[in-house]
Amino acid sequence: MSVAVTRGPGRPRSEEIDAAILQATIDELIERGFLGASMESIAARAGVAKTTLYRRWPNTTELTIAAMRTFDADDAEPPAGTVREQLLWLIHRMRRKWGDPRFAAMMRRVAADGSAQPEMYRSARDRLVGPHSARMTAVLQRAIDEGLIRPDLDLEWARQLLVSPVMAGALTLKDKVSAKQIELTVDTVLRGLAP
């Protein structure tokens, strides 16, 4: 059974305008950071009226989070497999995103702004990274259930051990982390956390 979708008065939203606004927001985040970006500067860069932005996003925070989410391919769960295979799948997806030069440049600026506005940074981080963190934590919980890692571990800390090399490489302008390095990281962490 199909359900008719009703929308409010006015013209339908243009996907081209939405895309232009999101790209302009990413450019602003790269060049000026979260603290320097504003609805005015983003509207000017996108070539639209400020009211066009406010019809879509209520404030700069929501707009910048929407722009940052454009780098997420989808919210897929890891495919069936061993704990190791699922961890590798999750970290490879993260590696592809953080390996994107625009995403890495944006995150360097946003992370720097986080030093000045830690509460804002934590709130945005939790919204953006929360779903990804939950998936990896679920795989690590499975590792505990299967007796692969110790049950007394702080799973957030264990997750940080796995993802930090990818983030550190992007944030410090080092060469991209290779697939082989990711495998070494996962194997080292699983061995080190084993019962």
PDB file of all heavy atoms in Angstrom, residues 16-33 37-48 53 57 63-64 67-68 70 102 106:
ATOM      1  N   GLU A  16      19.780  20.562  -6.374  1.00  0.00           N
ATOM      2  CA  GLU A  16      20.983  21.269  -6.805  1.00  0.00           C
ATOM      3  C   GLU A  16      21.355  22.368  -5.816  1.00  0.00           C
ATOM      4  O   GLU A  16      22.527  22.559  -5.499  1.00  0.00           O
ATOM      5  CB  GLU A  16      20.786  21.874  -8.211  1.00  0.00           C
ATOM      6  CG  GLU A  16      20.691  20.844  -9.319  1.00  0.00           C
ATOM      7  CD  GLU A  16      19.288  20.244  -9.451  1.00  0.00           C
ATOM      8  OE1 GLU A  16      18.325  20.793  -8.872  1.00  0.00           O
ATOM      9  OE2 GLU A  16      19.164  19.199 -10.110  1.00  0.00           O
ATOM     10  N   ILE A  17      20.350  23.075  -5.314  1.00  0.00           N
ATOM     11  CA  ILE A  17      20.630  24.133  -4.335  1.00  0.00           C
ATOM     12  C   ILE A  17      21.118  23.516  -3.033  1.00  0.00           C
ATOM     13  O   ILE A  17      22.072  24.000  -2.420  1.00  0.00           O
ATOM     14  CB  ILE A  17      19.382  25.024  -4.121  1.00  0.00           C
ATOM     15  CG1 ILE A  17      19.135  25.869  -5.370  1.00  0.00           C
ATOM     16  CG2 ILE A  17      19.555  25.913  -2.892  1.00  0.00           C
ATOM     17  CD1 ILE A  17      17.876  26.694  -5.324  1.00  0.00           C
ATOM     18  N   ASP A  18      20.475  22.424  -2.603  1.00  0.00           N
ATOM     19  CA  ASP A  18      20.929  21.734  -1.390  1.00  0.00           C
ATOM     20  C   ASP A  18      22.396  21.332  -1.521  1.00  0.00           C
ATOM     21  O   ASP A  18      23.193  21.549  -0.606  1.00  0.00           O
ATOM     22  CB  ASP A  18      20.084  20.481  -1.118  1.00  0.00           C
ATOM     23  CG  ASP A  18      18.685  20.813  -0.620  1.00  0.00           C
ATOM     24  OD1 ASP A  18      18.398  22.007  -0.380  1.00  0.00           O
ATOM     25  OD2 ASP A  18      17.887  19.882  -0.473  1.00  0.00           O
ATOM     26  N   ALA A  19      22.753  20.735  -2.665  1.00  0.00           N
ATOM     27  CA  ALA A  19      24.133  20.284  -2.883  1.00  0.00           C
ATOM     28  C   ALA A  19      25.099  21.467  -2.889  1.00  0.00           C
ATOM     29  O   ALA A  19      26.193  21.396  -2.316  1.00  0.00           O
ATOM     30  CB  ALA A  19      24.232  19.503  -4.192  1.00  0.00           C
ATOM     31  N   ALA A  20      24.697  22.579  -3.518  1.00  0.00           N
ATOM     32  CA  ALA A  20      25.559  23.762  -3.567  1.00  0.00           C
ATOM     33  C   ALA A  20      25.780  24.322  -2.167  1.00  0.00           C
ATOM     34  O   ALA A  20      26.902  24.731  -1.807  1.00  0.00           O
ATOM     35  CB  ALA A  20      24.952  24.828  -4.475  1.00  0.00           C
ATOM     36  N   ILE A  21      24.739  24.325  -1.350  1.00  0.00           N
ATOM     37  CA  ILE A  21      24.856  24.835   0.022  1.00  0.00           C
ATOM     38  C   ILE A  21      25.785  23.940   0.832  1.00  0.00           C
ATOM     39  O   ILE A  21      26.659  24.423   1.566  1.00  0.00           O
ATOM     40  CB  ILE A  21      23.472  24.935   0.685  1.00  0.00           C
ATOM     41  CG1 ILE A  21      22.642  26.030   0.014  1.00  0.00           C
ATOM     42  CG2 ILE A  21      23.605  25.192   2.187  1.00  0.00           C
ATOM     43  CD1 ILE A  21      21.177  26.021   0.410  1.00  0.00           C
ATOM     44  N   LEU A  22      25.621  22.620   0.708  1.00  0.00           N
ATOM     45  CA  LEU A  22      26.454  21.701   1.477  1.00  0.00           C
ATOM     46  C   LEU A  22      27.920  21.796   1.052  1.00  0.00           C
ATOM     47  O   LEU A  22      28.819  21.771   1.897  1.00  0.00           O
ATOM     48  CB  LEU A  22      25.926  20.269   1.349  1.00  0.00           C
ATOM     49  CG  LEU A  22      24.556  20.039   2.008  1.00  0.00           C
ATOM     50  CD1 LEU A  22      24.010  18.676   1.639  1.00  0.00           C
ATOM     51  CD2 LEU A  22      24.629  20.203   3.519  1.00  0.00           C
ATOM     52  N   GLN A  23      28.167  21.932  -0.257  1.00  0.00           N
ATOM     53  CA  GLN A  23      29.550  22.089  -0.720  1.00  0.00           C
ATOM     54  C   GLN A  23      30.142  23.420  -0.258  1.00  0.00           C
ATOM     55  O   GLN A  23      31.313  23.485   0.134  1.00  0.00           O
ATOM     56  CB  GLN A  23      29.626  21.981  -2.245  1.00  0.00           C
ATOM     57  CG  GLN A  23      29.466  20.564  -2.761  1.00  0.00           C
ATOM     58  CD  GLN A  23      30.453  19.598  -2.115  1.00  0.00           C
ATOM     59  OE1 GLN A  23      31.663  19.828  -2.094  1.00  0.00           O
ATOM     60  NE2 GLN A  23      29.933  18.507  -1.567  1.00  0.00           N
ATOM     61  N   ALA A  24      29.337  24.464  -0.278  1.00  0.00           N
ATOM     62  CA  ALA A  24      29.812  25.758   0.215  1.00  0.00           C
ATOM     63  C   ALA A  24      30.133  25.677   1.707  1.00  0.00           C
ATOM     64  O   ALA A  24      31.110  26.268   2.178  1.00  0.00           O
ATOM     65  CB  ALA A  24      28.749  26.829  -0.040  1.00  0.00           C
ATOM     66  N   THR A  25      29.336  24.930   2.434  1.00  0.00           N
ATOM     67  CA  THR A  25      29.584  24.759   3.870  1.00  0.00           C
ATOM     68  C   THR A  25      30.892  24.027   4.103  1.00  0.00           C
ATOM     69  O   THR A  25      31.687  24.409   4.975  1.00  0.00           O
ATOM     70  CB  THR A  25      28.413  23.996   4.523  1.00  0.00           C
ATOM     71  OG1 THR A  25      27.190  24.693   4.240  1.00  0.00           O
ATOM     72  CG2 THR A  25      28.599  23.875   6.024  1.00  0.00           C
ATOM     73  N   ILE A  26      31.142  22.981   3.335  1.00  0.00           N
ATOM     74  CA  ILE A  26      32.414  22.250   3.456  1.00  0.00           C
ATOM     75  C   ILE A  26      33.586  23.185   3.145  1.00  0.00           C
ATOM     76  O   ILE A  26      34.586  23.205   3.866  1.00  0.00           O
ATOM     77  CB  ILE A  26      32.414  21.014   2.536  1.00  0.00           C
ATOM     78  CG1 ILE A  26      31.401  19.983   3.051  1.00  0.00           C
ATOM     79  CG2 ILE A  26      33.814  20.406   2.435  1.00  0.00           C
ATOM     80  CD1 ILE A  26      31.070  18.889   2.057  1.00  0.00           C
ATOM     81  N   ASP A  27      33.457  23.987   2.091  1.00  0.00           N
ATOM     82  CA  ASP A  27      34.523  24.934   1.748  1.00  0.00           C
ATOM     83  C   ASP A  27      34.762  25.927   2.886  1.00  0.00           C
ATOM     84  O   ASP A  27      35.914  26.257   3.202  1.00  0.00           O
ATOM     85  CB  ASP A  27      34.168  25.692   0.466  1.00  0.00           C
ATOM     86  CG  ASP A  27      34.199  24.793  -0.767  1.00  0.00           C
ATOM     87  OD1 ASP A  27      34.847  23.734  -0.722  1.00  0.00           O
ATOM     88  OD2 ASP A  27      33.555  25.162  -1.773  1.00  0.00           O
ATOM     89  N   GLU A  28      33.690  26.400   3.500  1.00  0.00           N
ATOM     90  CA  GLU A  28      33.819  27.325   4.631  1.00  0.00           C
ATOM     91  C   GLU A  28      34.513  26.641   5.814  1.00  0.00           C
ATOM     92  O   GLU A  28      35.361  27.238   6.473  1.00  0.00           O
ATOM     93  CB  GLU A  28      32.437  27.835   5.069  1.00  0.00           C
ATOM     94  CG  GLU A  28      31.864  28.902   4.177  1.00  0.00           C
ATOM     95  CD  GLU A  28      32.574  30.238   4.335  1.00  0.00           C
ATOM     96  OE1 GLU A  28      32.582  30.791   5.456  1.00  0.00           O
ATOM     97  OE2 GLU A  28      33.122  30.730   3.342  1.00  0.00           O
ATOM     98  N   LEU A  29      34.126  25.407   6.085  1.00  0.00           N
ATOM     99  CA  LEU A  29      34.745  24.678   7.201  1.00  0.00           C
ATOM    100  C   LEU A  29      36.236  24.455   6.953  1.00  0.00           C
ATOM    101  O   LEU A  29      37.042  24.550   7.882  1.00  0.00           O
ATOM    102  CB  LEU A  29      34.033  23.343   7.429  1.00  0.00           C
ATOM    103  CG  LEU A  29      32.630  23.450   8.016  1.00  0.00           C
ATOM    104  CD1 LEU A  29      31.941  22.086   7.980  1.00  0.00           C
ATOM    105  CD2 LEU A  29      32.663  23.988   9.440  1.00  0.00           C
ATOM    106  N   ILE A  30      36.598  24.170   5.716  1.00  0.00           N
ATOM    107  CA  ILE A  30      38.011  23.967   5.383  1.00  0.00           C
ATOM    108  C   ILE A  30      38.790  25.275   5.539  1.00  0.00           C
ATOM    109  O   ILE A  30      39.882  25.307   6.097  1.00  0.00           O
ATOM    110  CB  ILE A  30      38.162  23.404   3.957  1.00  0.00           C
ATOM    111  CG1 ILE A  30      37.651  21.957   3.905  1.00  0.00           C
ATOM    112  CG2 ILE A  30      39.620  23.484   3.487  1.00  0.00           C
ATOM    113  CD1 ILE A  30      37.525  21.391   2.501  1.00  0.00           C
ATOM    114  N   GLU A  31      38.229  26.359   5.041  1.00  0.00           N
ATOM    115  CA  GLU A  31      38.958  27.626   5.034  1.00  0.00           C
ATOM    116  C   GLU A  31      38.869  28.396   6.351  1.00  0.00           C
ATOM    117  O   GLU A  31      39.834  29.043   6.754  1.00  0.00           O
ATOM    118  CB  GLU A  31      38.430  28.521   3.911  1.00  0.00           C
ATOM    119  CG  GLU A  31      38.814  28.026   2.539  1.00  0.00           C
ATOM    120  CD  GLU A  31      38.310  28.934   1.433  1.00  0.00           C
ATOM    121  OE1 GLU A  31      38.017  30.124   1.701  1.00  0.00           O
ATOM    122  OE2 GLU A  31      38.202  28.452   0.300  1.00  0.00           O
ATOM    123  N   ARG A  32      37.702  28.342   7.009  1.00  0.00           N
ATOM    124  CA  ARG A  32      37.491  29.204   8.171  1.00  0.00           C
ATOM    125  C   ARG A  32      37.186  28.449   9.453  1.00  0.00           C
ATOM    126  O   ARG A  32      37.164  29.042  10.522  1.00  0.00           O
ATOM    127  CB  ARG A  32      36.344  30.164   7.873  1.00  0.00           C
ATOM    128  CG  ARG A  32      36.615  31.012   6.626  1.00  0.00           C
ATOM    129  CD  ARG A  32      35.440  31.825   6.243  1.00  0.00           C
ATOM    130  NE  ARG A  32      35.151  32.785   7.309  1.00  0.00           N
ATOM    131  CZ  ARG A  32      34.328  33.788   7.172  1.00  0.00           C
ATOM    132  NH1 ARG A  32      33.702  33.981   6.047  1.00  0.00           N
ATOM    133  NH2 ARG A  32      34.108  34.610   8.172  1.00  0.00           N
ATOM    134  N   GLY A  33      36.921  27.146   9.340  1.00  0.00           N
ATOM    135  CA  GLY A  33      36.585  26.377  10.523  1.00  0.00           C
ATOM    136  C   GLY A  33      35.160  26.624  10.977  1.00  0.00           C
ATOM    137  O   GLY A  33      34.451  27.469  10.431  1.00  0.00           O
ATOM    138  N   ALA A  37      32.785  30.048  10.246  1.00  0.00           N
ATOM    139  CA  ALA A  37      31.684  29.903   9.296  1.00  0.00           C
ATOM    140  C   ALA A  37      30.415  30.535   9.869  1.00  0.00           C
ATOM    141  O   ALA A  37      30.186  30.500  11.073  1.00  0.00           O
ATOM    142  CB  ALA A  37      31.435  28.424   8.994  1.00  0.00           C
ATOM    143  N   SER A  38      29.611  31.096   8.997  1.00  0.00           N
ATOM    144  CA  SER A  38      28.339  31.681   9.424  1.00  0.00           C
ATOM    145  C   SER A  38      27.311  31.441   8.327  1.00  0.00           C
ATOM    146  O   SER A  38      27.667  31.123   7.188  1.00  0.00           O
ATOM    147  CB  SER A  38      28.487  33.184   9.658  1.00  0.00           C
ATOM    148  OG  SER A  38      28.748  33.848   8.428  1.00  0.00           O
ATOM    149  N   MET A  39      26.058  31.600   8.675  1.00  0.00           N
ATOM    150  CA  MET A  39      25.008  31.450   7.668  1.00  0.00           C
ATOM    151  C   MET A  39      25.212  32.480   6.553  1.00  0.00           C
ATOM    152  O   MET A  39      24.998  32.173   5.383  1.00  0.00           O
ATOM    153  CB  MET A  39      23.626  31.607   8.303  1.00  0.00           C
ATOM    154  CG  MET A  39      23.266  30.499   9.287  1.00  0.00           C
ATOM    155  SD  MET A  39      23.224  28.852   8.545  1.00  0.00           S
ATOM    156  CE  MET A  39      21.469  28.514   8.570  1.00  0.00           C
ATOM    157  N   GLU A  40      25.664  33.676   6.900  1.00  0.00           N
ATOM    158  CA  GLU A  40      25.893  34.724   5.898  1.00  0.00           C
ATOM    159  C   GLU A  40      27.001  34.323   4.935  1.00  0.00           C
ATOM    160  O   GLU A  40      26.856  34.432   3.720  1.00  0.00           O
ATOM    161  CB  GLU A  40      26.248  36.050   6.590  1.00  0.00           C
ATOM    162  CG  GLU A  40      25.133  36.672   7.379  1.00  0.00           C
ATOM    163  CD  GLU A  40      24.971  36.092   8.786  1.00  0.00           C
ATOM    164  OE1 GLU A  40      25.789  35.219   9.200  1.00  0.00           O
ATOM    165  OE2 GLU A  40      24.016  36.481   9.471  1.00  0.00           O
ATOM    166  N   SER A  41      28.138  33.851   5.487  1.00  0.00           N
ATOM    167  CA  SER A  41      29.264  33.515   4.617  1.00  0.00           C
ATOM    168  C   SER A  41      28.960  32.297   3.754  1.00  0.00           C
ATOM    169  O   SER A  41      29.367  32.228   2.592  1.00  0.00           O
ATOM    170  CB  SER A  41      30.535  33.292   5.446  1.00  0.00           C
ATOM    171  OG  SER A  41      30.395  32.186   6.321  1.00  0.00           O
ATOM    172  N   ILE A  42      28.221  31.345   4.310  1.00  0.00           N
ATOM    173  CA  ILE A  42      27.874  30.153   3.535  1.00  0.00           C
ATOM    174  C   ILE A  42      26.892  30.516   2.423  1.00  0.00           C
ATOM    175  O   ILE A  42      27.036  30.071   1.278  1.00  0.00           O
ATOM    176  CB  ILE A  42      27.294  29.066   4.460  1.00  0.00           C
ATOM    177  CG1 ILE A  42      28.386  28.555   5.406  1.00  0.00           C
ATOM    178  CG2 ILE A  42      26.703  27.911   3.641  1.00  0.00           C
ATOM    179  CD1 ILE A  42      27.874  27.713   6.564  1.00  0.00           C
ATOM    180  N   ALA A  43      25.905  31.342   2.734  1.00  0.00           N
ATOM    181  CA  ALA A  43      24.933  31.768   1.715  1.00  0.00           C
ATOM    182  C   ALA A  43      25.633  32.506   0.582  1.00  0.00           C
ATOM    183  O   ALA A  43      25.361  32.253  -0.599  1.00  0.00           O
ATOM    184  CB  ALA A  43      23.860  32.646   2.349  1.00  0.00           C
ATOM    185  N   ALA A  44      26.556  33.399   0.932  1.00  0.00           N
ATOM    186  CA  ALA A  44      27.285  34.150  -0.096  1.00  0.00           C
ATOM    187  C   ALA A  44      28.099  33.208  -0.970  1.00  0.00           C
ATOM    188  O   ALA A  44      28.113  33.329  -2.205  1.00  0.00           O
ATOM    189  CB  ALA A  44      28.190  35.189   0.568  1.00  0.00           C
ATOM    190  N   ARG A  45      28.767  32.243  -0.360  1.00  0.00           N
ATOM    191  CA  ARG A  45      29.588  31.298  -1.125  1.00  0.00           C
ATOM    192  C   ARG A  45      28.727  30.421  -2.035  1.00  0.00           C
ATOM    193  O   ARG A  45      29.117  30.090  -3.152  1.00  0.00           O
ATOM    194  CB  ARG A  45      30.403  30.423  -0.178  1.00  0.00           C
ATOM    195  CG  ARG A  45      31.410  29.526  -0.894  1.00  0.00           C
ATOM    196  CD  ARG A  45      32.148  28.653   0.094  1.00  0.00           C
ATOM    197  NE  ARG A  45      33.111  29.368   0.875  1.00  0.00           N
ATOM    198  CZ  ARG A  45      34.405  29.483   0.573  1.00  0.00           C
ATOM    199  NH1 ARG A  45      34.880  28.932  -0.521  1.00  0.00           N
ATOM    200  NH2 ARG A  45      35.212  30.132   1.375  1.00  0.00           N
ATOM    201  N   ALA A  46      27.541  30.032  -1.545  1.00  0.00           N
ATOM    202  CA  ALA A  46      26.647  29.180  -2.335  1.00  0.00           C
ATOM    203  C   ALA A  46      25.856  29.969  -3.374  1.00  0.00           C
ATOM    204  O   ALA A  46      25.231  29.382  -4.257  1.00  0.00           O
ATOM    205  CB  ALA A  46      25.682  28.440  -1.406  1.00  0.00           C
ATOM    206  N   GLY A  47      25.861  31.294  -3.254  1.00  0.00           N
ATOM    207  CA  GLY A  47      25.118  32.124  -4.200  1.00  0.00           C
ATOM    208  C   GLY A  47      23.619  32.073  -3.979  1.00  0.00           C
ATOM    209  O   GLY A  47      22.843  32.141  -4.940  1.00  0.00           O
ATOM    210  N   VAL A  48      23.217  31.956  -2.714  1.00  0.00           N
ATOM    211  CA  VAL A  48      21.791  31.920  -2.390  1.00  0.00           C
ATOM    212  C   VAL A  48      21.508  32.937  -1.285  1.00  0.00           C
ATOM    213  O   VAL A  48      22.421  33.427  -0.623  1.00  0.00           O
ATOM    214  CB  VAL A  48      21.333  30.511  -1.933  1.00  0.00           C
ATOM    215  CG1 VAL A  48      21.566  29.478  -3.029  1.00  0.00           C
ATOM    216  CG2 VAL A  48      22.039  30.088  -0.642  1.00  0.00           C
ATOM    217  N   LEU A  53      18.906  29.216   3.279  1.00  0.00           N
ATOM    218  CA  LEU A  53      19.560  28.330   4.247  1.00  0.00           C
ATOM    219  C   LEU A  53      18.644  28.065   5.429  1.00  0.00           C
ATOM    220  O   LEU A  53      18.472  26.917   5.843  1.00  0.00           O
ATOM    221  CB  LEU A  53      20.866  28.952   4.756  1.00  0.00           C
ATOM    222  CG  LEU A  53      22.138  28.621   3.991  1.00  0.00           C
ATOM    223  CD1 LEU A  53      22.073  29.122   2.566  1.00  0.00           C
ATOM    224  CD2 LEU A  53      23.329  29.225   4.700  1.00  0.00           C
ATOM    225  N   TRP A  57      17.890  24.592   7.217  1.00  0.00           N
ATOM    226  CA  TRP A  57      18.593  24.295   8.463  1.00  0.00           C
ATOM    227  C   TRP A  57      18.388  25.457   9.430  1.00  0.00           C
ATOM    228  O   TRP A  57      18.528  26.613   9.037  1.00  0.00           O
ATOM    229  CB  TRP A  57      20.084  24.087   8.201  1.00  0.00           C
ATOM    230  CG  TRP A  57      20.343  22.900   7.334  1.00  0.00           C
ATOM    231  CD1 TRP A  57      20.401  21.595   7.721  1.00  0.00           C
ATOM    232  CD2 TRP A  57      20.573  22.900   5.917  1.00  0.00           C
ATOM    233  NE1 TRP A  57      20.649  20.782   6.642  1.00  0.00           N
ATOM    234  CE2 TRP A  57      20.757  21.558   5.513  1.00  0.00           C
ATOM    235  CE3 TRP A  57      20.640  23.905   4.945  1.00  0.00           C
ATOM    236  CZ2 TRP A  57      21.006  21.206   4.193  1.00  0.00           C
ATOM    237  CZ3 TRP A  57      20.880  23.546   3.638  1.00  0.00           C
ATOM    238  CH2 TRP A  57      21.069  22.204   3.271  1.00  0.00           C
ATOM    239  N   LEU A  63      23.548  22.918   9.975  1.00  0.00           N
ATOM    240  CA  LEU A  63      24.031  22.940   8.594  1.00  0.00           C
ATOM    241  C   LEU A  63      25.409  22.302   8.477  1.00  0.00           C
ATOM    242  O   LEU A  63      25.657  21.495   7.573  1.00  0.00           O
ATOM    243  CB  LEU A  63      24.052  24.374   8.065  1.00  0.00           C
ATOM    244  CG  LEU A  63      24.644  24.590   6.668  1.00  0.00           C
ATOM    245  CD1 LEU A  63      24.018  23.668   5.634  1.00  0.00           C
ATOM    246  CD2 LEU A  63      24.485  26.052   6.260  1.00  0.00           C
ATOM    247  N   THR A  64      26.309  22.626   9.395  1.00  0.00           N
ATOM    248  CA  THR A  64      27.652  22.050   9.303  1.00  0.00           C
ATOM    249  C   THR A  64      27.625  20.542   9.569  1.00  0.00           C
ATOM    250  O   THR A  64      28.355  19.788   8.921  1.00  0.00           O
ATOM    251  CB  THR A  64      28.634  22.748  10.256  1.00  0.00           C
ATOM    252  OG1 THR A  64      28.131  22.711  11.591  1.00  0.00           O
ATOM    253  CG2 THR A  64      28.872  24.192   9.841  1.00  0.00           C
ATOM    254  N   ALA A  67      26.525  18.954   6.408  1.00  0.00           N
ATOM    255  CA  ALA A  67      27.611  18.951   5.415  1.00  0.00           C
ATOM    256  C   ALA A  67      28.636  17.878   5.727  1.00  0.00           C
ATOM    257  O   ALA A  67      29.107  17.162   4.830  1.00  0.00           O
ATOM    258  CB  ALA A  67      28.270  20.326   5.373  1.00  0.00           C
ATOM    259  N   MET A  68      28.981  17.724   6.994  1.00  0.00           N
ATOM    260  CA  MET A  68      29.959  16.708   7.370  1.00  0.00           C
ATOM    261  C   MET A  68      29.428  15.303   7.110  1.00  0.00           C
ATOM    262  O   MET A  68      30.198  14.395   6.786  1.00  0.00           O
ATOM    263  CB  MET A  68      30.351  16.898   8.829  1.00  0.00           C
ATOM    264  CG  MET A  68      31.102  18.203   9.058  1.00  0.00           C
ATOM    265  SD  MET A  68      31.281  18.629  10.779  1.00  0.00           S
ATOM    266  CE  MET A  68      32.785  17.757  11.148  1.00  0.00           C
ATOM    267  N   THR A  70      27.783  14.369   4.611  1.00  0.00           N
ATOM    268  CA  THR A  70      27.825  14.018   3.192  1.00  0.00           C
ATOM    269  C   THR A  70      28.995  13.093   2.870  1.00  0.00           C
ATOM    270  O   THR A  70      29.010  12.456   1.824  1.00  0.00           O
ATOM    271  CB  THR A  70      27.911  15.268   2.282  1.00  0.00           C
ATOM    272  OG1 THR A  70      29.143  15.961   2.541  1.00  0.00           O
ATOM    273  CG2 THR A  70      26.721  16.196   2.509  1.00  0.00           C
ATOM    274  N   ARG A 102      39.573  16.466   1.250  1.00  0.00           N
ATOM    275  CA  ARG A 102      38.655  17.519   1.722  1.00  0.00           C
ATOM    276  C   ARG A 102      38.146  17.206   3.127  1.00  0.00           C
ATOM    277  O   ARG A 102      38.050  18.095   3.968  1.00  0.00           O
ATOM    278  CB  ARG A 102      37.498  17.703   0.743  1.00  0.00           C
ATOM    279  CG  ARG A 102      37.949  18.410  -0.531  1.00  0.00           C
ATOM    280  CD  ARG A 102      36.868  18.529  -1.572  1.00  0.00           C
ATOM    281  NE  ARG A 102      35.642  19.149  -1.152  1.00  0.00           N
ATOM    282  CZ  ARG A 102      35.441  20.465  -1.010  1.00  0.00           C
ATOM    283  NH1 ARG A 102      36.421  21.311  -1.243  1.00  0.00           N
ATOM    284  NH2 ARG A 102      34.267  20.949  -0.648  1.00  0.00           N
ATOM    285  N   MET A 106      38.982  19.482   6.399  1.00  0.00           N
ATOM    286  CA  MET A 106      37.872  19.986   7.198  1.00  0.00           C
ATOM    287  C   MET A 106      38.023  19.575   8.657  1.00  0.00           C
ATOM    288  O   MET A 106      37.859  20.388   9.567  1.00  0.00           O
ATOM    289  CB  MET A 106      36.550  19.460   6.625  1.00  0.00           C
ATOM    290  CG  MET A 106      35.321  19.899   7.386  1.00  0.00           C
ATOM    291  SD  MET A 106      33.795  19.254   6.640  1.00  0.00           S
ATOM    292  CE  MET A 106      34.001  17.490   6.898  1.00  0.00           C
TER     293      MET A 106
END
